[in-house]
Amino acid sequence: MRSPLALSVLLATTANAALVEVWWNITYARANPDGLFERRVIGVNGTWPPPPIEAKKNDTLKVHAINGLDVPTGLHHHGMFFRNTSYYDGAVGVTQCGIPPGDTFTYDIPITEQHGTYWVHGHATGQYVDGLRAPFLIHNTPEVHKYDDEYTVILGDWYHDEHAPLLDFFMSTANPGGPEPVPKSSLIYFSHNGTYIPGFNADASIKFEPGKTYRLRIINTSALAMFYFWIEGHEMQLIEADGTDLQPQVANMLAITVAQRYSVLVKARETTDYNWAIHADMDQEMFDVVPEELILNQTATIVYSDSAQLNTPSLVDAYEMSIDDTKMVPVDAVSVGDPYKSTELGVFFDTFDNGVNRAAFNNVTWNLPVVPTIFSQLSMGADAENSVIYGPSAEVIDFNKTFEFTVINWDAGKHPFHIHGHKFAIVHKSWNVASDDPELNPPRPTGIIANPLWRDTVQIPPDGGAVSMRIITDNPGTWLFHCHIEWHLQAGLAFLFLEAPTLSQQLVKPPTFMYDQCRKLGIPTTGNAAGHNSTTDFSGLNVGPYPQKLGWTPKGIGALFACVFSAVCGGLTIVWYALVGPKA
């Protein structure tokens, strides 16, 4: 029974909550944000960029997505838990079939237990690369940290060609080494109180007043590029990572990988003599080749006075991440204990047996199933507890346990990994798992970890770097874990966690219209990953390609025998001709 005080707090919270409804008609548009090339993009209501979404904690948020495109689409509200409603997660092919052209899908976004900086983006065939992406903010009331005003800083890479032809070349035998498409430019722009401030890059600015404190919410919406972010003449205090409030720490520079979000507090200067540069520099190590015409370093401006000059931007000696995420300290301590089981996922890239460079966990590359995974989980009865039915890149995990997974990055590049439906606790990071140097490969902690950082996207260091993450499996459903470099997701760097399948069948109830949309698209909604009510029949499932087999295969042996046989026959023919010769 609630106490009178608890009841009054509940009533006050309910009274302050609002219904926030957003209508997004997802359409094609024209845009030229970098000033270099106008192209077709995916926007909302005929314009680009799609509008920011803002709400307050405990509001009821409904996003009505109308598909005005000629292909299926879907929206992923990145970082949201969707407790018992994983069908609203928006990962097309995993938690929904996709919104057919002309249809509407209403996403109910539960925001009772989360606040902070998020973003919304397309999660179907790389559509966010073509522009379907926007900030999504949930304001806490009151906020943990005090400030006078806030701005959202949107970073992103930008391509002049559409995603589809770029992907076709990237995933082809003409690109066996697998270098990713390099963007033509990068973008920095701002929003304020739910509205974009006009201008991109050098034409973008925000206004500061002397003595005030500002919160900057920074979102990296890229397909590939990581950014180094810093501000001339101002100190940044880091206060948020991926929706987790942090104890303030001074950060001279931030490294923000794809899909990560940070908030910083910035105290304005006391004078208005100069305006100051905001830097967002792409990390060139993310690119196999840096074209001569690519501008890696973008600057926007903090404006104190329209009549003031820009203080001359300075150079930095080296790029850095001032605070590693293992050193970030959440305001609210949430401990995590030992796991009931652990899984290791090794990251590999190679040219597979079809001649195409693919990505893989443990040498298994991921493909979309015939039946979206959520429907296999909900339709297979007791067999849903068998991870085999979901295809080769899946694991079933028990309810209400602590589960650990470690990603070891054997690739030469950095990789940002994101989990749907959860935040994970970062419990250990290694920069080289084979090293005896404790600075590079620290000892693993044991027992209860009192106050780890909880976030939803983490960058794994290259060349044997590793991160161990733990989640509390309290959210029954179907959850995708993947590299958030969009090209790598398309190349197969993904894995599925099926959380409490039998319990999911009781709690997770997709609305009827989802099944109707699947029928429109001709996508089955029952059976295993291949659409069969079986734990052994996977006919029709797209699997492979596979790593190349070194050594002699039967086909190779046959080809060698044919070549040797032909050579011997040719040699014997020459000898015969020399000894006998043609008869006169």
Side-chain angles (χ1 to χ4, degrees):
M1 183 175 181
R2 291 190 177 97
S3 69
L5 176 60
L7 183 59
S8 66
V9 171
L10 175 64
L11 292 174
T13 301
T14 305
N16 291 329
L19 172 62
V20 179
E21 291 193 86
V22 176
W23 280 264
W24 272 24
N25 184 13
I26 301 169
T27 60
Y28 296 111
R30 306 291 299 182
N32 183 14
D34 62 2
L36 300 174
F37 183 79
E38 182 178 294
R39 53 157 293 187
R40 187 176 80 158
V41 298
I42 299 178
V44 168
N45 306 329
T47 63
W48 190 91
I53 297 176
E54 296 196 18
K56 294 179 181 179
K57 188 174 182 179
N58 294 311
D59 284 350
T60 299
L61 175 62
K62 293 180 178 291
V63 177
H64 306 284
I66 305 118
N67 186 4
L69 307 176
D70 52 4
V71 292
T73 190
L75 293 177
H76 172 56
H77 294 78
H78 181 111
M80 301 308 294
F81 295 157
F82 294 104
R83 194 169 300 283
N84 298 331
T85 59
S86 56
Y87 44 83
Y88 287 138
D89 184 57
V92 172
V94 177
T95 55
Q96 70 176 98
C97 294
I99 310 170
D103 270 32
T104 298
F105 191 113
T106 296
Y107 294 92
D108 287 325
I109 318 296
I111 52 178
T112 56
E113 60 177 315
Q114 292 180 261
H115 63 270
T117 307
Y118 303 91
W119 61 305
V120 54
H121 62 83
H123 214 299
T125 59
Q127 289 175 356
Y128 93 77
V129 183
D130 289 330
L132 187 54
R133 60 202 196 197
F136 171 36
L137 310 183
I138 303 173
H139 298 280
N140 200 6
T141 50
E143 292 285 358
V144 171
H145 300 285
K146 305 299 181 185
Y147 46 89
D148 298 297
D149 202 354
E150 67 173 64
Y151 294 98
T152 303
V153 185
I154 304 101
L155 309 177
D157 50 24
W158 192 249
Y159 292 83
H160 290 172
D161 294 312
E162 293 187 19
H163 172 267
L166 289 174
L167 182 66
D168 287 344
F169 178 78
F170 173 61
M171 298 282 291
S172 73
T173 55
N175 187 41
E180 302 85 356
V182 176
K184 293 296 185 182
S185 60
S186 61
L187 302 176
I188 176 172
Y189 53 108
F190 304 101
S191 69
H192 183 239
N193 294 331
T195 302
Y196 288 116
I197 299 172
F200 297 89
N201 299 341
D203 295 327
S205 64
I206 55 177
K207 290 188 175 182
F208 273 19
E209 295 182 25
K212 288 190 174 182
T213 298
Y214 294 86
R215 177 178 184 163
L216 302 185
R217 301 175 183 262
I218 311 154
I219 307 171
N220 185 351
T221 67
S222 295
L224 174 61
M226 188 183 86
F227 283 87
Y228 291 101
F229 180 90
W230 77 99
I231 304 173
E232 296 270 355
H234 296 73
E235 181 181 88
M236 299 188 297
Q237 285 200 322
L238 182 64
I239 61 163
E240 182 214 354
D242 294 359
T244 296
D245 291 315
L246 304 175
Q247 296 179 18
Q249 290 179 273
V250 174
N252 298 318
M253 183 183 294
L254 294 174
I256 309 175
T257 194
V258 176
Q260 285 186 331
R261 294 89 60 210
Y262 288 112
S263 283
V264 295
L265 294 182
V266 181
K267 181 72 179 293
R269 299 173 69 90
E270 295 296 337
T271 63
T272 61
D273 298 343
Y274 290 99
N275 300 325
W276 297 83
I278 301 173
H279 294 266
D281 292 7
M282 288 193 291
D283 177 13
Q284 66 179 1
E285 292 182 0
M286 302 295 290
F287 309 141
D288 281 48
V289 177
V290 180
E292 289 186 8
E293 69 275 11
L294 178 61
I295 299 174
L296 293 168
N297 312 324
Q298 296 288 359
T299 57
T301 308
I302 293 175
V303 174
Y304 282 91
S305 171
D306 292 335
S307 60
Q309 292 183 338
L310 178 67
N311 187 74
T312 304
S314 60
L315 299 177
V316 294
D317 294 330
Y319 292 119
E320 64 172 354
M321 177 60 182
S322 294
I323 309 168
D324 188 74
D325 41 20
T326 58
K327 306 299 183 184
M328 298 175 192
V329 182
V331 170
D332 296 323
V334 179
S335 64
V336 65
D338 290 327
Y340 91 102
K341 74 171 179 176
S342 302
T343 292
E344 185 177 291
L345 299 171
V347 175
F348 296 91
F349 279 75
D350 205 350
T351 303
F352 277 46
D353 60 3
N354 64 345
V356 175
N357 193 275
R358 294 285 300 223
F361 279 130
N362 300 342
N363 285 325
V364 177
T365 191
W366 180 74
N367 296 281
L368 282 172
V370 175
V371 175
T373 309
I374 188 173
F375 296 117
S376 293
Q377 185 183 43
L378 299 180
S379 67
M380 285 293 289
D383 286 335
E385 296 285 346
N386 186 346
S387 62
V388 170
I389 72 159
Y390 304 105
S393 300
E395 182 162 355
V396 169
I397 49 181
D398 293 344
F399 179 63
N400 213 22
K401 305 280 189 180
T402 298
F403 170 66
E404 179 178 286
F405 51 105
T406 298
V407 176
I408 304 179
N409 180 11
W410 299 112
D411 184 50
K414 310 163 189 171
H415 292 278
F417 283 96
H418 168 58
I419 191 168
H420 290 223
H422 285 278
K423 289 180 185 177
F424 42 66
I426 298 176
V427 297
H428 182 255
K429 179 183 284 188
S430 171
W431 283 262
N432 185 346
V433 294
S435 176
D436 294 327
D437 184 347
E439 293 293 322
L440 296 176
N441 189 20
R444 290 181 59 87
T446 57
I448 294 175
I449 300 172
N451 192 14
L453 174 64
W454 295 81
R455 68 183 315 168
D456 59 61
T457 306
V458 66
Q459 179 161 277
I460 314 291
D463 297 317
V467 173
S468 294
M469 296 151 273
R470 293 179 191 169
I471 61 173
I472 306 301
T473 59
D474 58 358
N475 194 8
T478 306
W479 305 116
L480 183 63
F481 176 72
H482 63 94
C483 180
H484 216 292
I485 292 175
E486 182 62 26
W487 311 108
H488 297 170
L489 172 59
Q490 302 290 334
L493 197 51
F495 199 82
L496 293 163
F497 292 123
L498 290 306
E499 195 165 337
T502 305
L503 185 58
S504 294
Q505 292 168 10
Q506 302 173 33
L507 299 177
V508 180
K509 303 292 183 182
T512 302
F513 75 84
M514 290 188 66
Y515 293 92
D516 296 338
Q517 291 185 346
C518 293
R519 279 191 289 272
K520 278 190 178 182
L521 294 170
I523 298 174
T525 55
T526 60
N528 62 20
H532 309 297
N533 187 18
S534 171
T535 60
T536 56
D537 182 4
F538 292 94
S539 57
L541 182 64
N542 183 21
V543 293
Y546 301 97
Q548 297 186 56
K549 293 181 180 179
L550 301 178
W552 293 101
T553 64
K555 185 181 290 187
I557 293 171
L560 178 63
F561 175 80
C563 291
V564 171
F565 180 77
S566 298
V568 170
C569 290
L572 291 175
T573 301
I574 294 172
V575 171
W576 172 84
Y577 189 88
L579 295 177
V580 179
K583 293 182 179 180

